Amino acid sequence: MRILLVEDDSILGNATSVYLRNSGYVVDWVKDGKHADAALHEDVYDVVVLDLGLPNMDGLTILKNLRFRKQGTRVIILTAQDGLDDRIAGLDAGADDYLVKPVKLAELAARLRVQLRREHAVLVSRIEYPPLTLHLKERVVSYRDQPFGLSPRELSLFESLLLRVGKVVSKENLIENISDWDDTLGKNAIEVYMHRLRKKLLSVGVEVRTVRGLGYMLDKLD
Ligand code: CA
């Protein structure tokens, strides 16, 4: 799951990005309005967490541009305590949700989960791929009700494959799904993570298929 965090306050931005990364999300953080606008042109994000007061381009303009381009990316705006007008303007401009500053990180994470579930039209809180279960809320995998140890990157890979079960997922796509900007993985690194993930999955009889020249997939189960 890839999140664009747009926040010009260094302390808040840093705390938020660290918290969300530790929760297993891939986070790109930008501080400048114009950079955010450009990032949204180029990249596909699941959710944007958008501060409104930003240098060079304000959040409301970024949001309007996004909707003008017919991009359906989910947007949560961050507004000031007394920012009722901002909230209304933001929701009118197509924001999906808002949070009032100071933001409580656990609450932001909960709101993100809501948006991500809607984004992926996953109405359930978990996905079964016997004998494994991916718990979307807790972001863990279990094996016969016991925790199944995956690193955050292995979990992101497994999740990427599971959300597109029965379809081939390209290496480029997987790299997008598990890399941050400041930490872009090469194809070799993906192979290393995939090798480790596969080994763990195979130990419980789950096979990731390689589709030569195209990518990887989990077969649909009957
Ligand atoms: Ca700000």
Side-chain angles (χ1 to χ4, degrees):
M1 302 287 190
R2 201 174 163 94
I3 291 163
L4 181 68
L5 170 65
V6 189
E7 172 57 71
D8 59 321
D9 183 297
S10 293
I11 294 169
L12 181 58
N14 190 48
T16 308
S17 57
V18 167
Y19 183 89
L20 293 177
R21 280 180 190 139
N22 287 340
S23 306
Y25 297 111
V26 174
V27 181
D28 290 336
W29 170 28
V30 289
K31 300 177 180 178
D32 176 285
K34 279 210 166 128
H35 290 166
D37 192 56
L40 287 167
H41 263 100
E42 290 161 13
D43 271 304
V44 175
Y45 292 94
D46 295 293
V47 181
V48 186
V49 177
L50 183 64
D51 186 29
L52 295 183
L54 295 164
N56 293 321
M57 186 185 284
D58 66 89
L60 212 52
T61 306
I62 295 168
L63 176 59
K64 284 177 180 162
N65 287 348
L66 184 75
R67 294 306 183 225
F68 182 76
R69 293 191 300 268
K70 306 272 180 236
Q71 283 177 269
T73 315
R74 300 267 164 186
V75 177
I76 300 175
I77 52 172
L78 306 179
T79 71
Q81 192 81 52
D82 53 359
L84 180 63
D85 291 344
D86 280 350
R87 254 165 267 162
I88 293 168
L91 292 170
D92 280 347
D96 297 281
D97 199 358
Y98 68 84
L99 273 176
V100 175
K101 289 184 172 186
V103 172
K104 292 186 187 66
L105 293 174
E107 187 181 9
L108 173 60
R111 301 289 188 91
L112 274 173
R113 288 194 296 270
V114 171
Q115 297 304 328
L116 290 168
R117 277 201 297 274
R118 288 189 189 153
E119 168 80 5
H120 293 280
V122 181
L123 297 171
V124 291
S125 59
R126 54 196 207 169
I127 302 174
E128 306 274 352
Y129 196 84
L132 297 174
T133 304
L134 171 66
H135 303 262
L136 292 164
K137 184 166 169 266
E138 298 83 0
R139 292 191 56 79
V140 292
V141 174
S142 65
Y143 168 66
R144 292 184 182 150
D145 296 327
Q146 297 297 314
F148 186 70
L150 293 179
S151 71
R153 286 223 159 112
E154 291 162 356
L155 180 74
S156 290
L157 276 181
F158 183 56
E159 183 182 65
S160 302
L161 293 169
L162 198 53
L163 288 170
R164 295 167 191 78
V165 74
K167 291 182 186 139
V168 179
V169 186
S170 70
K171 270 186 203 170
E172 289 76 13
N173 208 308
L174 290 172
I175 290 169
E176 278 281 292
N177 279 327
I178 76 167
S179 313
D180 296 317
W181 281 341
D182 40 356
D183 178 26
T184 301
L185 293 170
K187 287 196 179 183
N188 291 339
I190 276 284
E191 280 169 17
V192 171
Y193 287 113
M194 187 57 82
H195 178 74
R196 281 197 225 149
L197 173 66
R198 274 189 142 145
K199 233 168 125 180
K200 289 186 183 174
L201 294 180
L202 261 185
S203 72
V204 295
V206 170
E207 195 183 348
V208 177
R209 275 215 288 138
T210 303
V211 184
R212 204 164 287 281
L214 292 177
Y216 303 96
M217 70 183 283
L218 283 172
D219 280 323
K220 238 187 180 125
L221 300 174
D222 298 322

